[in-house]
Amino acid sequence: MAKRMEILVGAAIGLGMTARAAVDGGADFLLVLSAGRLRVMGAPSLAAMLPIRDSNAFTDAFARQEILDRVSVPVFFGAAACDPRLSIPALLRRISEAGYNGVANFPTAIHLDGSFRAALEAAGLGFPREVEMLRAAPGYGLATLGYAKTRAEVDALLEAKVERLCLNFGWNSGGSQGVPSGVPLDQAAERARRLFAHIRRRAPGTLCFVEGGPIIDPSHLQQVCEASRADGYLGGSTLDRLPLEMSVMQTTSAFKTTRLLPQEGDTVAALVPGLVGRSQPARQLMARIARLVATDLPILVEGEPGAGRTTVARAIHQASGRSGALTFLDARQDIAARLFGEGGPAALLALRHSTLVIESADALPPMLRARLADWIERGSFARFAKPAERIPGARLVLTHPLGGEALARALSAQRLVVPPLRDRLEDLPLLARALLRGAQHGSAELEPAALRLLMARSWPGNLRELAEVLRRAATEGRNGRIDLATLEAQIGLASLAPPASPGDERAWILDALRRNRFRRGETAAFLGIARKTLYNRMRRLGLEA
């Protein structure tokens, strides 16, 4: 027999709309199940195992109203056989007369175990009663589909001559209501391979299906099918709840973030070239920069680690309209000779129309601070010189962590505080777009749900952390889109990344403590460090309280 190019797909659903959509997508047959109806009502599939409804009447009611006579493929009825008042012949007759093409044993006792299942079996209400129903079904013109988990259950179904046999791996593990699967994917594939080989030896004409457990997307199914040569797949949660959850979440997120998503033609508070933002803190920052660049006063740019102090320094130079060079020096190095031109090239401070940025200005030695203050007093920024006596020189910009009041006073500098990202989350969509473009990922797009995840984070590492997360997510994203799962993975990696400086480390540990409700043992495990190491760092950073 020629190899089938496509596997058979049965859609186990509980709503007319999803039934028609499944058929349009190529489903070969439908199963109407109480579990499917409960899912669209907001309950997990396993609620079908509870005595909360007359399962057969419940299933028949929605199937007659919404599915039967409205689809072009066979419809199987998921029958509960455990009711002691139930007459199996009467049930099968009603199913046949209603126009169903077949019957399946669902809800099924295969999802039960232990003493409770044993008691049901002893009372004649367990799995053997389901087998009895399936054995009798062909006499009423009904096709059969049997669910099983174990070899003993498989053999009982084969003895009853079922036409379709579904090896079930348990409730699906994905989504918001999934049940953790105890069966890894590779073990599921191996189990299916062994049991299907057994089935084909005993009853070669039986169609073999797989369902549930770790199989939650087509790639998982492919792995199991390649190992087991399965004839088909039965999908319940994977065909309705999981895609519905994702689709509704994404669509709702898109509407929710409409005001946040920047459009190409958006105008923002671009008072200062090189800066992005339209939030109130961003506008205030830009307005202050615009006022300061109209003067020759030194500017001290303060902010948390990663907040964008260097970016602001570049923007100050650009907004000043200076035609000279923009030069960066690190105060943690010996920069005196370059500043004052000692025994070398001309002093950088004396270069006209240029901007000199001294980064990490908190590390300036006391002697160098005094010399800078003296130069500012007597040189191009002399406060008491007559206008004709002022010598145009470089604009001096210094970057400093928060708390630079003393240095600002010493240098007669104007303080400019860069707001942290958590105080300007309204700007995050614009910032994300700008950062992606700057990292040569300009075509990458954030899905709305991913954007909402960004907006919900406190970003202790500020723009630096955001840029790193976006860079990695854009690299891992598919088809130029950054989805929720990709972003969650990259944020998780960022949370575990080692800190770059003491300021970053404090924010890194504090964020981890908050995530773990300040339980230090769990925080240490989350960060991947020993408890003693965490305690020592907390003590050093003043976080013990």
Side-chain angles (χ1 to χ4, degrees):
M1 185 175 67
K3 182 180 179 181
R4 185 183 292 112
M5 295 301 294
E6 294 182 332
I7 67 168
L8 297 169
V9 173
I13 38 72
L15 188 67
M17 179 176 65
T18 52
R20 290 189 293 273
V23 172
D24 290 343
D28 297 287
F29 61 95
L30 303 178
L31 289 85
V32 290
L33 304 181
S34 58
R37 190 61 162 192
L38 289 167
R39 282 196 302 271
V40 298
M41 294 170 65
S45 298
L46 58 80
M49 301 300 297
L50 301 175
I52 55 177
R53 295 269 187 169
D54 179 341
S55 180
N56 293 325
F58 177 57
T59 302
D60 188 42
F62 80 76
R64 287 183 190 237
Q65 292 174 5
E66 302 175 18
I67 297 174
L68 278 180
D69 302 324
R70 288 175 169 79
V71 294
S72 58
V73 299
V75 179
F76 283 65
F77 183 88
C82 61
D83 189 340
R85 304 165 299 173
L86 178 67
S87 165
I88 286 180
L91 173 64
L92 293 173
R93 188 178 302 110
R94 289 197 302 272
I95 292 172
S96 178
E97 292 174 352
Y100 296 97
N101 301 91
V103 64
N105 60 320
F106 199 98
T108 172
I110 68 170
H111 292 305
L112 304 174
D113 55 20
S115 58
F116 180 62
R117 178 169 179 176
L120 284 178
E121 304 279 336
L125 300 176
F127 184 69
R129 185 168 166 86
E130 299 172 20
V131 176
E132 176 189 345
M133 177 185 69
L134 293 172
R135 189 192 309 273
Y140 295 85
L142 295 169
T144 52
L145 188 155
Y147 282 84
K149 280 187 175 182
T150 67
R151 177 170 292 213
E153 292 163 357
V154 165
D155 286 341
L157 293 175
L158 293 179
E159 191 68 30
K161 300 187 184 307
V162 297
E163 300 157 309
R164 298 167 176 81
L165 193 150
C166 178
L167 179 59
N168 184 276
F169 298 111
W171 307 104
N172 275 120
S173 59
S176 63
Q177 296 179 338
V179 177
S181 174
V183 184
L185 196 61
D186 57 346
Q187 292 184 22
E190 177 58 20
R191 184 190 301 180
R193 185 193 67 78
R194 293 197 309 268
L195 284 176
F196 290 172
H198 171 70
I199 292 167
R200 287 166 181 138
R201 285 194 298 268
R202 287 197 53 187
T206 305
L207 294 173
C208 299
F209 291 77
V210 291
E211 179 191 35
I215 306 173
I216 60 174
D217 67 36
S219 65
H220 299 154
L221 176 61
Q222 182 180 12
Q223 181 175 335
V224 175
C225 284
E226 286 181 353
S228 66
R229 294 173 48 233
D231 296 299
Y233 170 68
L234 296 185
S237 296
T238 52
L239 298 184
D240 57 20
R241 178 174 59 82
L242 293 177
L244 182 63
E245 283 181 359
M246 184 57 66
S247 177
V248 171
M249 180 186 66
Q250 290 284 7
T251 303
T252 306
S253 293
F255 281 98
K256 184 75 173 176
T257 57
T258 297
R259 293 184 62 187
L260 300 176
L261 290 169
Q263 303 300 319
E264 286 295 336
D266 275 358
T267 57
V268 299
L271 299 174
V272 178
L275 295 184
V276 172
R278 57 186 173 189
S279 66
Q280 187 63 24
R283 291 177 184 272
Q284 290 174 346
L285 174 68
M286 295 179 190
R288 179 151 174 77
I289 291 173
R291 290 194 297 270
L292 290 178
V293 297
T295 74
D296 287 331
L297 295 171
I299 300 174
L300 184 69
V301 181
E302 298 180 53
E304 294 180 2
R309 293 172 296 194
T310 299
T311 300
V312 169
R314 293 181 185 276
I316 289 172
H317 173 71
Q318 191 173 355
S320 299
R322 296 188 169 229
S323 58
L326 171 63
T327 304
F328 286 86
L329 297 179
D330 190 334
R332 292 169 295 188
Q333 301 172 357
D334 185 3
I335 60 174
R338 297 197 65 192
L339 284 173
F340 302 105
E342 299 167 353
L348 289 176
L349 288 170
L351 295 180
R352 301 180 62 180
H353 310 300
S354 65
T355 301
L356 176 61
V357 180
I358 300 178
E359 296 191 286
S360 302
D362 52 310
L364 282 170
M367 183 67 72
L368 191 55
R369 291 190 186 200
R371 291 189 64 186
L372 273 175
D374 185 58
W375 180 84
I376 290 169
E377 184 71 24
R378 294 184 296 102
S380 60
F381 301 147
R383 291 171 293 176
F384 305 110
K386 297 178 180 178
E389 297 175 343
R390 293 185 180 178
I391 305 170
R395 169 181 289 285
L396 183 61
V397 179
L398 307 100
T399 68
H400 193 286
L402 291 173
E405 298 92 337
L407 182 60
R409 286 195 299 270
L411 301 181
S412 301
Q414 297 296 304
R415 298 175 64 203
L416 184 67
V417 179
V418 182
L421 182 52
R422 63 179 175 274
D423 289 347
R424 48 179 300 206
L425 288 177
E426 181 185 341
D427 297 329
L428 199 146
L430 294 166
L431 291 166
R433 174 177 287 178
L435 289 169
L436 286 170
R437 286 175 175 169
Q440 286 75 53
H441 292 291
S443 60
E445 288 187 44
L446 279 164
E447 291 187 352
L451 177 60
R452 290 193 69 213
L453 177 63
L454 292 182
M455 301 286 289
R457 184 167 167 76
S458 62
W459 298 106
N462 290 296
L463 289 174
R464 184 185 301 149
E465 181 186 5
L466 174 63
E468 179 61 18
V469 166
L470 289 174
R471 183 188 65 77
R472 290 199 306 263
T475 301
E476 297 295 330
R478 299 178 181 177
N479 302 319
R481 296 189 67 81
I482 301 174
D483 61 19
L484 181 62
T486 300
L487 193 64
E488 283 178 331
Q490 300 310 317
I491 286 178
L493 290 174
S495 299
L496 299 175
S501 70
D504 289 338
E505 181 178 62
R506 192 177 197 279
W508 181 63
I509 291 177
L510 189 56
D511 179 64
L513 285 165
R514 287 170 176 157
R515 286 168 177 258
N516 293 277
R517 300 183 181 181
F518 292 88
R519 297 187 179 102
R520 289 184 287 182
E522 295 178 14
T523 300
F526 175 77
L527 295 175
I529 59 179
R531 288 190 184 191
K532 185 176 181 180
T533 301
L534 175 64
Y535 299 162
N536 290 338
R537 292 184 184 183
M538 289 176 64
R539 189 178 301 111
R540 187 177 72 247
L541 297 168
L543 291 174
E544 278 188 301

